[in-house]
Coordinates of all heavy atoms in Angstrom, one line a residue:
S177 N 148.8 74.9 123.2 CA 147.4 75.0 122.7 C 146.6 74.5 123.8 O 146.6 73.4 124.1 CB 147.3 74.2 121.4 OG 147.5 72.9 121.6
N178 N 145.7 75.3 124.2 CA 144.7 75.0 125.2 C 143.4 74.5 124.5 O 142.8 75.3 123.7 CB 144.3 76.2 126.0 CG 145.5 76.5 127.0 OD1 146.4 75.6 127.3 ND2 145.4 77.6 127.7
I179 N 142.9 73.3 124.7 CA 141.7 72.8 124.3 C 140.6 72.9 125.4 O 140.8 72.1 126.4 CB 141.8 71.4 123.7 CG1 142.8 71.5 122.5 CG2 140.5 70.8 123.2 CD1 143.0 70.1 121.9
T180 N 139.6 73.6 125.3 CA 138.6 73.7 126.2 C 137.6 72.6 125.9 O 137.0 72.5 124.7 CB 137.9 75.1 126.2 OG1 138.9 76.1 126.4 CG2 136.8 75.2 127.4
V181 N 137.2 71.9 126.9 CA 136.2 70.8 126.7 C 134.9 71.2 127.4 O 134.8 71.7 128.5 CB 136.7 69.5 127.3 CG1 135.6 68.4 127.3 CG2 138.0 68.9 126.6
Y182 N 133.9 71.1 126.7 CA 132.5 71.5 127.2 C 131.7 70.2 127.2 O 131.3 69.9 126.1 CB 131.8 72.6 126.2 CG 132.6 73.9 126.0 CD1 133.4 74.1 124.9 CD2 132.5 74.9 126.9 CE1 134.2 75.2 124.8 CE2 133.1 76.1 126.9 CZ 134.0 76.2 125.8 OH 134.7 77.4 125.6
P183 N 131.4 69.8 128.4 CA 130.6 68.6 128.5 C 129.1 68.9 128.1 O 128.6 70.0 128.5 CB 130.7 68.2 130.0 CG 131.8 69.0 130.6 CD 131.9 70.2 129.7
R184 N 128.6 68.0 127.3 CA 127.3 68.1 126.8 C 126.6 66.9 127.2 O 127.1 65.8 127.0 CB 127.2 68.4 125.4 CG 127.8 69.7 124.9 CD 126.9 70.9 125.3 NE 127.3 72.2 124.9 CZ 127.7 73.1 125.7 NH1 127.9 72.9 127.0 NH2 128.2 74.2 125.2
G185 N 125.3 67.0 127.5 CA 124.5 65.8 127.8 C 123.4 65.7 126.7 O 122.9 66.6 126.1
I186 N 123.0 64.4 126.4 CA 122.1 64.1 125.6 C 121.0 63.3 126.2 O 121.3 62.3 126.9 CB 122.5 63.2 124.3 CG1 123.6 63.9 123.6 CG2 121.4 62.7 123.5 CD1 123.0 65.0 122.6
N187 N 119.7 63.9 126.3 CA 118.6 63.1 126.8 C 117.7 62.6 125.6 O 117.4 63.4 124.7 CB 117.7 64.0 127.8 CG 118.6 64.4 128.9 OD1 119.3 63.5 129.5 ND2 118.5 65.6 129.3
V188 N 117.3 61.4 125.7 CA 116.4 60.9 124.6 C 115.0 60.4 125.4 O 115.1 59.8 126.4 CB 117.0 59.6 123.9 CG1 116.1 59.2 122.9 CG2 118.4 59.9 123.4
Y189 N 114.0 61.0 124.7 CA 112.6 60.8 125.2 C 111.9 59.9 124.1 O 112.0 60.2 122.9 CB 111.9 62.1 125.5 CG 112.6 62.9 126.6 CD1 113.6 63.8 126.1 CD2 112.3 62.8 127.9 CE1 114.3 64.6 127.1 CE2 112.9 63.6 128.8 CZ 113.9 64.5 128.5 OH 114.7 65.2 129.4
N190 N 111.0 59.1 124.7 CA 110.2 58.4 123.7 C 108.9 59.2 123.4 O 108.8 60.3 123.8 CB 109.8 56.9 124.2 CG 109.0 57.0 125.5 OD1 108.4 58.0 125.9 ND2 109.0 55.9 126.2
S191 N 108.0 58.6 122.6 CA 106.9 59.4 122.1 C 105.9 59.8 123.2 O 105.1 60.7 123.0 CB 106.1 58.7 121.0 OG 105.7 57.4 121.5
V192 N 105.9 59.3 124.3 CA 105.0 59.6 125.4 C 105.8 60.4 126.5 O 105.2 60.7 127.6 CB 104.4 58.4 126.1 CG1 103.5 57.7 125.2 CG2 105.4 57.4 126.7
G193 N 107.0 60.8 126.2 CA 107.7 61.7 127.1 C 108.6 61.1 128.1 O 109.1 61.8 129.0
E194 N 108.7 59.8 128.2 CA 109.5 59.2 129.1 C 111.0 59.2 128.7 O 111.4 58.9 127.5 CB 109.2 57.7 129.3 CG 107.9 57.4 129.6 CD 107.4 56.0 129.6 OE1 107.8 55.2 128.7 OE2 106.6 55.5 130.4
R195 N 111.9 59.6 129.6 CA 113.3 59.7 129.2 C 113.9 58.3 129.3 O 113.8 57.6 130.2 CB 114.1 60.6 130.2 CG 115.6 60.6 129.9 CD 116.2 61.7 130.6 NE 116.1 61.6 132.1 CZ 116.6 62.5 133.0 NH1 117.0 63.7 132.6 NH2 116.4 62.2 134.2
I196 N 114.4 57.8 128.1 CA 114.9 56.5 128.0 C 116.4 56.3 127.9 O 116.9 55.2 128.1 CB 114.3 55.8 126.7 CG1 114.7 56.5 125.5 CG2 112.8 55.7 126.8 CD1 114.5 55.7 124.2
S197 N 117.1 57.5 127.9 CA 118.6 57.5 127.8 C 119.1 58.8 128.1 O 118.5 59.9 127.8 CB 119.0 57.0 126.3 OG 120.3 57.2 126.2
T198 N 120.2 58.8 128.8 CA 121.0 60.0 129.1 C 122.5 59.7 129.0 O 122.9 58.6 129.4 CB 120.7 60.4 130.5 OG1 119.4 60.7 130.8 CG2 121.5 61.7 131.0
Q199 N 123.1 60.6 128.2 CA 124.6 60.2 128.1 C 125.2 61.6 128.1 O 124.7 62.7 127.7 CB 124.7 59.5 126.6 CG 124.2 58.2 126.4 CD 124.4 57.7 125.0 OE1 125.5 57.7 124.5 NE2 123.4 57.3 124.4
T200 N 126.5 61.6 128.5 CA 127.3 62.7 128.4 C 128.5 62.5 127.5 O 129.1 61.5 127.3 CB 127.9 63.0 129.9 OG1 126.8 63.0 130.8 CG2 128.7 64.3 130.0
Y201 N 128.9 63.7 126.8 CA 129.8 63.7 125.8 C 130.9 64.8 126.2 O 130.4 65.9 126.4 CB 129.3 64.0 124.4 CG 128.4 62.9 124.0 CD1 127.0 62.9 124.4 CD2 128.8 61.8 123.2 CE1 126.1 61.9 124.0 CE2 127.9 60.9 122.8 CZ 126.5 60.9 123.1 OH 125.7 60.0 122.7
P202 N 132.1 64.6 126.1 CA 133.1 65.7 126.2 C 133.3 66.4 124.8 O 133.9 65.7 123.9 CB 134.4 65.0 126.6 CG 134.3 63.7 126.1 CD 132.9 63.3 126.0
I203 N 132.9 67.5 124.7 CA 132.8 68.3 123.3 C 133.9 69.2 123.4 O 134.0 70.2 124.2 CB 131.5 68.9 123.1 CG1 130.4 67.8 123.1 CG2 131.5 69.6 121.8 CD1 130.5 66.7 122.2
A204 N 134.9 69.1 122.3 CA 136.1 70.0 122.3 C 135.8 71.1 121.2 O 136.6 72.1 121.0 CB 137.3 69.3 122.0
N205 N 134.7 71.0 120.3 CA 134.5 72.0 119.3 C 133.0 72.0 119.0 O 132.2 71.1 119.3 CB 135.3 71.6 117.9 CG 135.0 70.3 117.4 OD1 133.7 70.0 117.0 ND2 135.9 69.4 117.4
P206 N 132.5 73.1 118.4 CA 131.0 73.3 118.3 C 130.3 72.2 117.5 O 129.1 72.1 117.8 CB 131.0 74.7 117.6 CG 132.4 75.3 117.8 CD 133.4 74.2 117.9
Y207 N 130.9 71.6 116.6 CA 130.1 70.6 115.7 C 130.5 69.3 115.9 O 130.5 68.5 114.9 CB 130.2 71.1 114.2 CG 129.4 72.4 114.0 CD1 130.2 73.6 114.0 CD2 128.0 72.6 113.9 CE1 129.6 74.9 113.8 CE2 127.4 73.8 113.9 CZ 128.2 74.9 113.8 OH 127.5 76.1 113.6
A208 N 131.0 68.9 117.1 CA 131.4 67.6 117.3 C 130.2 66.6 117.2 O 129.2 66.9 117.5 CB 132.1 67.4 118.7
R209 N 130.6 65.5 116.7 CA 129.6 64.4 116.6 C 129.3 63.6 117.9 O 130.2 63.4 118.7 CB 130.1 63.4 115.5 CG 129.1 62.3 115.2 CD 129.7 61.4 114.2 NE 129.2 60.2 114.0 CZ 129.0 59.6 112.9 NH1 129.5 60.1 111.8 NH2 128.3 58.3 112.8
M210 N 127.9 63.4 118.1 CA 127.5 62.7 119.3 C 126.6 61.5 118.8 O 125.5 61.9 118.4 CB 126.7 63.6 120.3 CG 127.7 64.7 120.8 SD 126.7 65.8 122.0 CE 125.8 66.9 120.9
D211 N 127.1 60.4 118.8 CA 126.3 59.2 118.3 C 125.4 58.7 119.4 O 125.7 58.5 120.6 CB 127.3 58.1 118.0 CG 128.1 58.5 116.6 OD1 127.5 59.2 115.9 OD2 129.2 58.0 116.5
I212 N 124.1 58.3 119.0 CA 123.2 57.8 119.9 C 122.7 56.5 119.3 O 122.3 56.5 118.1 CB 122.0 58.8 120.1 CG1 122.5 60.1 120.6 CG2 120.9 58.1 120.9 CD1 121.5 61.2 120.5
D213 N 122.7 55.4 120.0 CA 122.3 54.2 119.5 C 120.8 53.8 120.0 O 120.6 53.6 121.2 CB 123.2 53.1 119.9 CG 122.9 51.6 119.3 OD1 121.9 51.5 118.6 OD2 123.8 50.8 119.5
L214 N 119.8 53.9 119.1 CA 118.5 53.6 119.5 C 118.0 52.2 119.0 O 116.8 51.8 119.1 CB 117.5 54.7 118.9 CG 117.8 56.0 119.4 CD1 117.0 57.1 118.6 CD2 117.5 56.1 120.9
R215 N 118.9 51.4 118.6 CA 118.6 50.0 118.1 C 117.7 49.2 119.2 O 116.9 48.4 118.7 CB 119.8 49.3 117.7 CG 120.4 49.9 116.4 CD 121.6 49.0 116.0 NE 122.7 49.4 117.0 CZ 123.9 49.0 116.7 NH1 124.3 48.4 115.7 NH2 124.8 49.4 117.5
N216 N 118.0 49.4 120.4 CA 117.3 48.5 121.4 C 116.0 49.2 121.8 O 115.3 48.6 122.6 CB 118.2 48.3 122.6 CG 119.5 47.6 122.3 OD1 119.4 46.7 121.5 ND2 120.5 47.9 123.0
H217 N 115.5 50.2 121.2 CA 114.3 51.0 121.7 C 113.1 50.8 120.6 O 112.1 51.4 120.9 CB 114.7 52.3 121.9 CG 115.6 52.5 123.0 ND1 115.2 52.2 124.4 CD2 116.9 52.9 123.2 CE1 116.3 52.4 125.2 NE2 117.4 52.8 124.4
G218 N 113.5 50.1 119.6 CA 112.2 50.0 118.7 C 111.9 51.2 117.8 O 112.6 52.2 117.9
T219 N 111.0 50.9 116.9 CA 110.6 51.9 115.9 C 109.7 53.0 116.6 O 109.2 52.8 117.7 CB 109.8 51.4 114.7 OG1 108.6 50.8 115.3 CG2 110.6 50.3 114.0
G220 N 109.7 54.2 116.0 CA 108.9 55.2 116.5 C 109.6 56.6 116.5 O 110.7 56.7 115.9
V221 N 108.9 57.6 117.1 CA 109.4 58.9 117.1 C 110.2 59.1 118.6 O 109.6 58.7 119.6 CB 108.3 60.0 117.1 CG1 108.8 61.4 117.1 CG2 107.7 59.8 115.6
Y222 N 111.3 59.7 118.5 CA 112.1 59.9 119.7 C 112.5 61.5 119.7 O 112.7 62.1 118.6 CB 113.4 59.2 119.8 CG 113.0 57.7 119.9 CD1 112.9 56.9 118.8 CD2 112.9 57.2 121.2 CE1 112.6 55.6 119.0 CE2 112.5 55.7 121.3 CZ 112.4 55.0 120.1 OH 112.1 53.7 120.3
W223 N 112.6 62.0 120.9 CA 113.0 63.5 121.0 C 114.3 63.5 121.6 O 114.6 62.7 122.6 CB 111.9 64.3 121.9 CG 110.7 64.5 121.1 CD1 109.6 63.6 121.3 CD2 110.3 65.3 120.2 NE1 108.5 64.1 120.4 CE2 109.0 65.1 119.7 CE3 111.0 66.4 119.6 CZ2 108.3 65.9 118.7 CZ3 110.3 67.2 118.6 CH2 109.1 67.0 118.2
I224 N 115.2 64.3 120.9 CA 116.6 64.3 121.4 C 116.9 65.7 121.8 O 116.7 66.7 121.2 CB 117.6 64.0 120.2 CG1 117.2 62.8 119.4 CG2 119.1 63.9 120.6 CD1 117.2 61.5 120.1
E225 N 117.3 65.8 123.2 CA 117.6 67.0 123.9 C 119.0 67.1 124.1 O 119.7 66.3 124.8 CB 116.8 67.1 125.1 CG 116.9 68.4 125.9 CD 116.3 68.3 127.3 OE1 116.2 67.2 127.9 OE2 115.7 69.4 127.7
V226 N 119.6 68.3 123.7 CA 121.1 68.4 124.1 C 121.0 69.6 125.3 O 120.4 70.6 125.2 CB 121.8 69.2 123.0 CG1 123.2 69.4 123.3 CG2 121.7 68.3 121.7
V227 N 121.8 69.2 126.3 CA 121.8 70.1 127.5 C 123.2 70.4 127.8 O 124.1 69.6 127.5 CB 121.1 69.4 128.7 CG1 119.6 69.3 128.5 CG2 121.7 68.2 129.1
D228 N 123.4 71.5 128.6 CA 124.6 71.9 129.0 C 125.0 71.2 130.4 O 124.3 70.3 130.9 CB 125.0 73.3 129.2 CG 124.0 74.0 130.3 OD1 123.5 73.2 131.1 OD2 123.8 75.3 130.2
L229 N 126.1 71.5 131.1 CA 126.6 70.8 132.3 C 125.6 71.0 133.4 O 125.4 70.1 134.3 CB 127.9 71.3 132.7 CG 128.7 70.5 133.8 CD1 128.9 69.1 133.4 CD2 130.0 71.2 134.1
N230 N 124.8 72.1 133.3 CA 123.8 72.4 134.4 C 122.4 71.8 134.1 O 121.5 72.1 134.9 CB 123.7 73.9 134.6 CG 125.0 74.4 135.2 OD1 125.6 73.9 136.0 ND2 125.4 75.6 134.6
G231 N 122.2 71.2 132.9 CA 120.9 70.6 132.5 C 120.1 71.6 131.7 O 119.0 71.3 131.5
N232 N 120.6 72.8 131.4 CA 119.8 73.7 130.6 C 119.8 73.3 129.2 O 120.8 72.9 128.6 CB 120.5 75.1 130.7 CG 120.5 75.7 132.1 OD1 119.6 75.6 132.8 ND2 121.7 76.2 132.5
R233 N 118.7 73.4 128.6 CA 118.4 73.0 127.2 C 119.1 73.8 126.2 O 118.8 75.0 126.2 CB 116.9 72.9 126.9 CG 116.6 72.3 125.4 CD 115.2 72.4 125.1 NE 114.5 71.3 125.9 CZ 113.1 71.2 126.0 NH1 112.4 72.0 125.2 NH2 112.6 70.3 126.6
L234 N 119.9 73.3 125.4 CA 120.6 73.9 124.3 C 119.9 73.8 123.0 O 119.9 74.7 122.1 CB 122.1 73.5 124.3 CG 122.8 73.7 125.5 CD1 124.3 73.2 125.3 CD2 123.0 75.3 125.9
A235 N 119.3 72.6 122.8 CA 118.7 72.2 121.5 C 117.8 71.1 121.6 O 118.0 70.3 122.6 CB 119.8 71.9 120.4
M236 N 116.8 70.9 120.7 CA 115.8 69.9 120.8 C 115.6 69.4 119.3 O 115.4 70.2 118.5 CB 114.6 70.2 121.5 CG 113.6 69.2 121.9 SD 114.0 68.5 123.4 CE 112.7 67.3 123.7
G237 N 115.6 68.2 119.2 CA 115.3 67.6 117.8 C 114.6 66.3 117.9 O 114.4 65.8 118.9
R238 N 114.0 65.9 116.7 CA 113.2 64.7 116.6 C 113.9 63.8 115.7 O 114.6 64.1 114.7 CB 111.9 65.2 115.9 CG 110.8 64.0 116.1 CD 109.4 64.5 115.6 NE 109.4 64.2 114.2 CZ 108.3 64.3 113.5 NH1 107.2 64.8 114.0 NH2 108.3 63.9 112.2
A239 N 113.8 62.5 116.2 CA 114.4 61.4 115.3 C 113.4 60.3 115.1 O 112.5 60.0 116.0 CB 115.5 60.7 116.0
N240 N 113.2 59.8 113.8 CA 112.2 58.8 113.5 C 113.1 57.6 113.2 O 113.9 57.5 112.4 CB 111.5 59.1 112.2 CG 110.6 60.4 112.5 OD1 109.9 60.5 113.4 ND2 110.7 61.4 111.5
V241 N 112.8 56.5 114.0 CA 113.4 55.3 113.8 C 112.6 54.4 113.0 O 111.4 54.1 113.5 CB 113.8 54.6 115.2 CG1 114.3 53.3 115.1 CG2 114.7 55.6 116.0
I242 N 112.9 53.9 111.9 CA 112.1 53.0 111.1 C 113.1 51.8 110.8 O 114.3 51.7 110.9 CB 111.7 53.8 109.8 CG1 112.9 54.3 109.1 CG2 110.8 54.8 110.1 CD1 112.6 54.9 107.8
R243 N 112.3 50.7 110.4 CA 113.1 49.5 110.1 C 113.1 49.2 108.7 O 112.1 49.4 108.0 CB 112.5 48.3 110.9 CG 112.6 48.4 112.3 CD 114.0 48.0 112.9 NE 114.0 48.0 114.3 CZ 114.7 49.0 115.0 NH1 115.3 49.9 114.4 NH2 114.8 48.8 116.3

């Protein structure tokens, strides 16, 4: 059984567009979970970008961090 791993990157941007985090995940299936810890970045709106190995955007989403 061959398992193909597709590396995916996660870029996190704060509300003014500054990239505050970049992480890479080895993804072996289309709906694999990618956890992001924003506890050290405070409350507010964050933009989560999923990119492929070449940095091309695959998806973009918004996260609201509240306390």
Side-chain angles (χ1 to χ4, degrees):
S177 66
N178 290 344
I179 297 177
T180 304
V181 175
Y182 300 96
R184 294 290 183 248
I186 297 287
N187 296 318
V188 180
Y189 300 90
N190 64 16
S191 60
V192 294
E194 298 171 325
R195 184 165 56 185
I196 60 166
S197 175
T198 299
Q199 297 178 47
T200 303
Y201 299 84
I203 301 301
N205 61 62
Y207 295 98
R209 181 174 164 148
M210 296 181 282
D211 291 325
I212 302 167
D213 186 353
L214 294 174
R215 286 178 288 190
N216 295 328
H217 296 289
T219 61
V221 175
Y222 296 90
W223 292 95
I224 313 298
E225 177 185 42
V226 181
V227 296
D228 66 14
L229 194 56
N230 297 316
N232 299 310
R233 181 182 293 171
L234 302 174
M236 190 85 173
R238 192 173 93 172
N240 295 313
V241 176
I242 56 177
R243 296 278 185 254

